[in-house]
Amino acid sequence: MTVKGTLFDFSGTLFRAEPAERWLRAGLDAVGLDLAPPEFARALGELQAVGAQPGGTAPREVHAHLAAGWRVRDLSGSQHRAAYLAQARQVSLPYAGLHEALYERHKDPVAWEPYPDAAEVLAGLRERGVRIAVVSNIGWDPRPVFHRHGLDRFVDAYLLSFEHGITKPNPALFQLACATLGTSAPETVMVGDNRRADGGAAAIGCRVHFVDHLPVDQRPDGLRPVLDLAG
């Protein structure tokens, strides 16, 4: 069946969060602090271990008393902030406000970089008349990220978990995305990096294309096969 719609995940699919080292440095700059190299390395390693950077390394472990909040982090902005700050605050930092500064940094459009083929693929789909939606489990609005990088002009709709109170792989979010685009599930492709969350689109009959969540310089053309699917 001809592809008439594509659903794209955000983080790890179209965009990648900045390297953790730059994220931590930006947070320190925001509060006017610096750390000696050994202390910087210690803080960085511990922050990565607990998954404090949204879009960065997943936590090695979520402790039982934090697990409930972690599971529902993408259902609202307040739950997202609370869950990530709870993870981050397991790490001792030299200034209490640094945890909040790091959380705010990850939402800054400059903290995200599109994959090298993102613009080419989105433009190619638009030229073919394929409608495009961003379907993301997220607790904040990524529209400014798309605008900063000039990709917003290709996107017809954003279906964000925190705006609808639904997270992938719940079929309801994919159904809503297809309805918003005006496409049926069999003529829609979901593109994402998470086998469980993004793979949920298959339950309503969408085709699914997976990409690897890699640094941008290690994945130059992971999205290009989507153009072949679109014909």
Side-chain angles (χ1 to χ4, degrees):
M1 182 174 290
T2 301
V3 172
K4 295 183 179 179
T6 49
L7 315 178
F8 285 93
D9 176 52
F10 167 60
S11 175
T13 299
L14 290 173
F15 286 86
R16 169 81 183 210
E18 67 186 336
E21 294 87 348
R22 195 169 78 196
W23 168 70
L24 177 54
R25 183 64 62 195
L28 289 165
D29 290 345
V31 297
L33 290 178
D34 196 6
L35 294 177
E39 179 63 7
F40 185 94
R42 191 272 314 165
L44 179 63
E46 292 183 12
L47 287 166
Q48 288 182 293
V50 299
Q53 182 191 13
T57 305
R60 293 178 188 170
E61 178 185 7
V62 177
H63 294 302
H65 69 289
L66 301 177
W70 186 255
R71 284 194 297 270
V72 298
R73 67 191 182 280
D74 292 322
L75 289 175
S76 74
S78 60
Q79 288 168 291
H80 190 270
R81 186 177 189 276
Y84 276 99
L85 284 178
Q87 289 297 116
R89 285 176 176 144
Q90 297 176 80
V91 179
S92 176
L93 296 176
Y95 172 64
L98 182 52
H99 298 94
E100 287 81 0
L102 288 169
Y103 180 80
E104 292 305 317
R105 168 65 184 188
H106 98 271
K107 297 189 291 182
D108 191 321
V110 303
W112 294 86
E113 185 175 357
Y115 280 93
D117 56 345
E120 170 194 340
V121 170
L122 293 177
L125 292 170
R126 176 54 60 88
E127 289 171 2
R128 291 164 168 79
V130 177
R131 291 178 61 75
I132 297 167
V134 173
V135 183
S136 179
N137 284 352
I138 195 168
W140 53 279
D141 187 359
R143 291 176 182 89
V145 178
F146 283 81
H147 179 72
R148 174 181 172 80
H149 294 281
L151 301 186
D152 55 322
R153 67 188 187 275
F154 303 122
V155 180
D156 297 295
Y158 295 84
L159 286 299
L160 310 175
S161 63
F162 84 103
E163 292 183 339
H164 296 281
I166 309 168
T167 55
K168 300 177 292 186
N170 189 326
L173 194 59
F174 303 111
Q175 290 168 337
L176 182 59
C178 290
T180 302
L181 292 184
T183 61
S184 68
E187 60 192 15
T188 305
V189 178
M190 176 69 213
V191 185
D193 67 297
N194 188 302
R195 267 59 178 171
R196 178 178 178 273
D198 300 312
I204 68 165
C206 294
R207 281 180 275 178
V208 182
H209 174 73
F210 292 116
V211 294
D212 294 321
H213 190 153
L214 295 170
V216 291
D217 60 353
Q218 295 179 28
R219 209 196 76 195
D221 54 7
L223 295 168
R224 287 199 182 110
V226 179
L227 291 176
D228 296 329
L229 294 174

